[in-house]
Amino acid sequence: MVIILISSLRFRLEAENFSPISIYCEGSTCREMQKLGDFKLPHFFNYPPYFTLQPVRETREKQVQLWKELILDYCRTQKIFVIKLEEEFPLFSNSVIERTLSHEAREAFLSALAAEGRAEWLDKGHRSCLILWHRIQEWADIIVNFVKDNGFEDSVMTVEEIRFGIESRRTELHGIDRTILMRALKLLEQKGKLAIFKGTSTDDEGIKFSV
Amino acid sequence: MSNFFSKAEVTSSGRPVFLRNEVECHLLSGVDLEPEDHHHFSPLKSGIFILTTHRLLWLPSSSATTPTSASAIPLAAISHIFSSQKSLKSVFHSPRIRFQVLVSPDGRVFDPGSGSGSGFSSGSGSRSVVVTAVVRGKGDCDGFLVKFWDSWRTRAWESNETSGSGSGTGLASGSGAGTGTGGGLYSADGSVRMVGVAGILRKEQEMWESTDKSLQDAFQDLNALMSKAQEMVKLAEKMRQKLLSGTGSQTSGTNDEDMGSKEEIQDWLLSVGIISPVTKESAGALYHQQLSRQLADFVTTPLERAGGMINLIDAYCLFNRARGTELISPDDMLQACSLWEKFDVPVMLRKFDSGVMVIQNKSHSDEEVFARIKSLVTKPEALRNGISPTDAAMTLGIAPAMAKEHLLTAESKGLLCRDISPDGFRFYINLFPEIDPCNIYFVKDYGICSTWIKAVSTSG
């Protein structure tokens, strides 16, 4: 199957090389690249130096930038909210070229995301990182839209209902990480858009919207 | 006040004036000199106590309120040195050095130079006084004591007197024996006579033997060597004077022969480790200049073989091996290389960021090397698997260590990227500049990325 793909790719590439204008090779490059789940990987994922933390400043800056984009994209499409550094993370390894990111490299890239406000370390030892492919404010906006779209302006819902209820299935809220959701809700509470109240157990925390 | 002690002369800056052949051995500060019995002299407080080969000197410290003159005790006047007693009491107070000094009838320290008679010994009923030196300042008291014993036993002050009188007595006995017995090789007292050619030869032989013995003695006993060192220093001074007077009086380059012999002397001095005084006047000793040129000539052949760049350590080994004898030190090597800047030689010393030092041709250009590296690293095989320093070394025709330096320099210029894996340390062409972070899936048609993709995908 791989041979067929590659020969068709070669044909495709050769055909496209004859045109004078540079073409968006998305289709051809992707078919050649392996996937992680349904996530399409860029061509440089198979470039071995991509997995070694580069010492030269300019090169390192570019490398960090590419990894930041890739991590956010991957987490967004796969709905991943937390990365644990000591556990295996599919994006950090490439079995085709037999390379894995070192612990140091992982920490470097995630710290770069944290510096940008796109991630947060959950512990001082930097073992666990919260990924904010939407910023908290963005999540807050999504919640507000969700409430408005479904007419929940004056109603009450539990936190779990927001996370896993039928209504959220069509939105990005479905399956959201609890920590992130609570932060967004607290942000909205400060703005007076809702009120959080405790139920009989943590699972039953309720939200009263007043959007 | 201190009529007891001999007077010690002091220079205007407060340093003691030494006798002929007198050498300073040790110095302690904050020392009080106290007699066991106050009626000999009043204690001297808080001064500088100096031990020399001939005397013990006490100099008042500059903070002394009443002017006290510097005092001396000749070592010849010392009849006994007490060993330090370590008792519980001694832990609590300052260390002390106690010694016994002979006193002449007029109540002063016995002064051997005053010619008060050779019959004056400790057994002839003279009085002696125990003096205690209390060391209140910081100082190595035990070390002082050891040196004190040494100096006292060596009796350096006697060698001046005996050398004069010794030859006198020898002559006397020789001539006496000669007139007494008349002919024959052996004189009356059994020693061999110095007569005729045989005598001259024998004298030469004896001189040679005594020099040999003296050398042996010198090297056997380090203390004895140190006394011989004084002779060496005198010799070196003589040489120095000769050199300085020579260069001072002549204009440069007038007399080749003279200059040659002066260079010889300089070289000889340098070879025994004495830095030529002329070095300070001319920038770089002649020795180093010559070495520098010789090195530049020598190094051209290995440089060519090594592809234009050679590690300094390798060059050092090669050079010394070629020299055979008269090996140069690493310091000499460095000096010689740094002198190249002043001359017009086709080689130069270069230091990389990693600290590695190399000798390279002045004509060597980094750009040329980078061009060669770039062409190497864009070959399909290298695009797929990268290059290791060994690969680069083989292609560029240089040593692997040099190749690695070049690769690292190319990396720092943004030409290459490193890849560290269990397979080792490899370098790839740098693709990062071409990738657009806002459009990571896009590949330019004729850029390096597409070349790379093509090379990688054909491997199957």
Side-chain angles (χ1 to χ4, degrees):
Chain A
M1 160 94 143
V2 175
I3 302 165
I4 298 168
L5 273 176
I6 286 173
S7 49
S8 69
L9 156 75
R10 210 184 286 162
F11 176 80
R12 212 29 191 347
L13 267 178
E14 278 163 13
E16 282 168 354
N17 275 342
F18 290 134
S19 59
I21 315 156
S22 62
I23 322 170
Y24 195 87
C25 301
E26 184 185 33
S28 58
T29 8
C30 297
R31 232 184 291 151
E32 171 207 321
M33 286 297 297
Q34 65 272 31
K35 289 191 177 185
L36 281 181
D38 57 349
F39 180 73
K40 59 185 184 187
L41 290 162
H43 65 280
F44 55 83
F45 196 72
N46 279 350
Y47 178 55
Y50 188 56
F51 284 83
T52 302
L53 200 56
Q54 295 297 318
V56 177
R57 195 173 57 95
E58 264 184 65
T59 318
R60 160 92 67 120
E61 280 170 8
K62 196 58 171 296
Q63 182 190 29
V64 166
Q65 223 184 348
L66 294 174
W67 269 108
K68 284 196 300 196
E69 284 302 315
L70 200 61
I71 292 170
L72 286 178
D73 272 350
Y74 182 71
C75 290
R76 188 189 343 257
T77 55
Q78 308 300 306
K79 290 262 189 151
I80 294 170
F81 297 93
V82 176
I83 297 180
K84 290 202 165 74
L85 260 70
E86 272 140 30
E87 285 175 9
E88 258 187 53
F89 189 62
L91 193 66
F92 292 159
S93 301
N94 185 339
S95 50
V96 170
I97 57 169
E98 291 172 343
R99 297 281 185 273
T100 311
L101 277 184
S102 67
H103 185 99
E104 192 200 348
R106 295 177 196 208
E107 205 186 319
F109 302 139
L110 291 172
S111 296
L113 274 176
E116 237 179 38
R118 284 278 177 187
E120 235 179 68
W121 288 109
L122 291 171
D123 65 325
K124 273 211 176 73
H126 289 194
R127 281 189 300 258
S128 196
C129 193
L130 197 67
I131 308 296
L132 301 169
W133 37 271
H134 275 311
R135 294 182 197 276
I136 302 289
Q137 181 56 56
E138 287 164 9
W139 283 117
D141 295 338
I142 291 170
I143 293 169
V144 166
N145 288 335
F146 168 70
V147 165
K148 285 189 177 148
D149 289 345
N150 288 290
F152 290 143
E153 281 90 341
D154 290 312
S155 46
V156 175
M157 277 179 92
T158 66
V159 169
E160 290 307 299
E161 277 175 332
I162 299 175
R163 292 179 74 203
F164 297 111
I166 306 172
E167 290 89 354
S168 65
R169 270 203 209 133
R170 278 171 285 118
T171 69
E172 287 183 297
L173 283 175
H174 196 83
I176 184 175
D177 178 82
R178 207 189 145 80
T179 319
I180 294 180
L181 180 60
M182 292 314 295
R183 292 259 204 98
L185 290 173
K186 288 209 173 82
L187 185 64
L188 287 170
E189 191 184 38
Q190 279 169 6
K191 292 196 180 146
K193 305 261 186 196
L194 52 86
I196 307 173
F197 54 91
K198 293 238 182 286
T200 47
S201 68
T202 23
D203 284 347
D204 278 351
E205 268 177 311
I207 316 290
K208 165 105 178 60
F209 296 107
S210 42
V211 170
Chain B
M1 195 172 21
S2 36
N3 279 334
F4 178 75
F5 292 107
S6 314
K7 184 138 173 43
E9 277 184 45
V10 163
T11 66
S12 55
S13 45
R15 285 285 300 160
V17 173
F18 289 124
L19 304 171
R20 188 165 149 264
N21 293 329
E22 187 183 15
V23 175
E24 184 180 321
C25 297
H26 207 109
L27 188 150
L28 289 176
S29 62
V31 174
D32 300 346
L33 282 185
E34 290 168 7
E36 79 182 326
D37 162 11
H38 281 247
H39 99 94
H40 284 103
F41 63 91
S42 47
L44 300 173
K45 292 277 181 204
S46 196
I48 298 178
F49 199 45
I50 301 177
L51 168 75
T52 74
T53 47
H54 291 51
R55 305 177 284 172
L56 275 176
L57 302 168
W58 186 90
L59 306 175
S61 64
S62 47
S63 57
T65 44
T66 48
T68 9
S69 53
S71 315
I73 302 171
L75 290 183
I78 294 182
S79 54
H80 184 65
I81 303 177
F82 293 93
S83 42
S84 62
Q85 294 160 315
K86 302 263 191 248
S87 65
L88 196 57
K89 222 178 9 169
S90 66
V91 173
F92 292 108
H93 49 63
S94 319
R96 277 138 213 268
I97 300 170
R98 291 168 72 226
F99 50 94
Q100 196 168 29
V101 179
L102 290 173
V103 175
S104 62
D106 61 353
R108 309 191 65 214
V109 166
F110 165 59
D111 188 355
S114 63
S116 25
S118 48
F120 209 86
S121 64
S122 53
S124 62
S126 61
R127 292 178 298 147
S128 56
V129 171
V130 173
V131 180
T132 308
V134 185
V135 183
R136 298 197 193 279
K138 288 193 202 111
D140 180 11
C141 199
D142 289 335
F144 188 95
L145 198 57
V146 168
K147 293 221 174 97
F148 190 12
W149 272 102
D150 280 343
S151 296
W152 187 57
R153 268 198 306 237
T154 313
R155 307 187 79 86
W157 59 91
E158 279 178 6
S159 57
N160 297 339
E161 300 148 25
T162 49
S163 55
S165 52
S167 46
T169 47
L171 270 171
S173 64
S175 52
T179 47
T181 52
L185 213 47
Y186 292 95
S187 51
D189 58 351
S191 63
V192 182
R193 283 203 300 148
M194 307 291 181
V195 287
V197 177
I200 294 170
L201 287 175
R202 201 167 301 285
K203 203 170 177 181
E204 289 282 329
Q205 174 81 350
E206 282 192 7
M207 248 173 56
W208 185 88
E209 277 176 24
S210 80
T211 316
D212 188 46
K213 183 168 182 306
S214 145
L215 270 174
Q216 282 190 19
D217 283 342
F219 281 102
Q220 273 168 14
D221 185 0
L222 198 59
N223 284 335
L225 180 61
M226 295 221 333
S227 63
K228 298 270 183 246
Q230 206 187 25
E231 291 174 30
M232 286 298 292
V233 169
K234 262 195 254 171
L235 185 63
E237 261 306 303
K238 232 190 327 186
M239 290 284 130
R240 202 180 98 99
Q241 287 305 320
K242 222 183 237 172
L243 272 175
L244 279 177
S245 65
T247 31
S249 58
Q250 279 183 322
T251 51
S252 60
T254 43
N255 195 336
D256 276 339
E257 216 183 85
D258 268 0
M259 288 307 278
S261 66
K262 291 218 186 325
E263 282 172 22
E264 262 181 59
I265 296 178
Q266 270 197 39
D267 278 348
W268 178 81
L269 278 182
L270 265 168
S271 72
V272 292
I274 301 165
I275 315 281
S276 161
V278 184
T279 312
K280 297 197 181 76
E281 287 147 25
S282 60
L286 206 55
Y287 170 70
H288 281 136
Q289 286 183 19
Q290 289 192 337
L291 184 66
S292 175
R293 287 186 196 275
Q294 192 184 43
L295 184 62
D297 286 335
F298 170 78
V299 94
T300 37
T301 331
L303 258 187
E304 241 170 281
R305 258 185 300 140
M309 192 179 280
I310 185 168
N311 198 331
L312 186 64
I313 299 172
D314 293 341
Y316 173 71
C317 295
L318 286 171
F319 191 50
N320 264 340
R321 200 193 303 166
R323 281 174 77 96
T325 57
E326 291 178 20
L327 307 182
I328 61 168
S329 72
D331 201 49
D332 285 334
M333 181 89 180
L334 263 179
Q335 291 257 10
C337 291
S338 47
L339 279 177
W340 283 340
E341 290 170 2
K342 300 200 170 75
F343 307 143
D344 189 20
V345 286
V347 287
M348 58 182 268
L349 185 67
R350 174 182 173 173
K351 189 169 179 179
F352 281 105
D353 291 332
S354 55
V356 170
M357 297 221 265
V358 296
I359 297 175
Q360 71 179 44
N361 273 322
K362 267 194 187 143
S363 59
H364 173 274
S365 99
D366 273 352
E367 305 309 327
E368 195 235 326
V369 176
F370 291 156
R372 286 165 77 191
I373 291 176
K374 187 164 180 192
S375 70
L376 171 64
V377 93
T378 43
K379 292 200 168 61
E381 180 59 41
L383 283 174
R384 280 196 288 272
N385 301 319
I387 54 170
S388 70
T390 329
D391 297 334
M394 284 196 298
T395 316
L396 297 173
I398 58 181
M402 296 296 101
K404 187 163 184 186
E405 289 305 319
H406 281 308
L407 292 176
L408 288 172
T409 318
E411 182 196 35
S412 69
K413 294 254 178 336
L415 183 68
L416 302 174
C417 281
R418 63 172 63 180
D419 164 45
I420 300 175
S421 72
D423 297 336
F425 201 124
R426 300 184 82 82
F427 289 91
Y428 288 76
I429 185 98
N430 189 359
L431 297 180
F432 288 112
E434 212 183 79
I435 307 171
D436 179 6
C438 303
N439 202 348
I440 58 177
Y441 296 102
F442 177 61
V443 180
K444 272 204 320 228
D445 251 356
Y446 294 104
I448 185 69
C449 282
S450 68
T451 318
W452 176 75
I453 291 171
K454 275 186 207 136
V456 168
S457 56
T458 49
S459 65

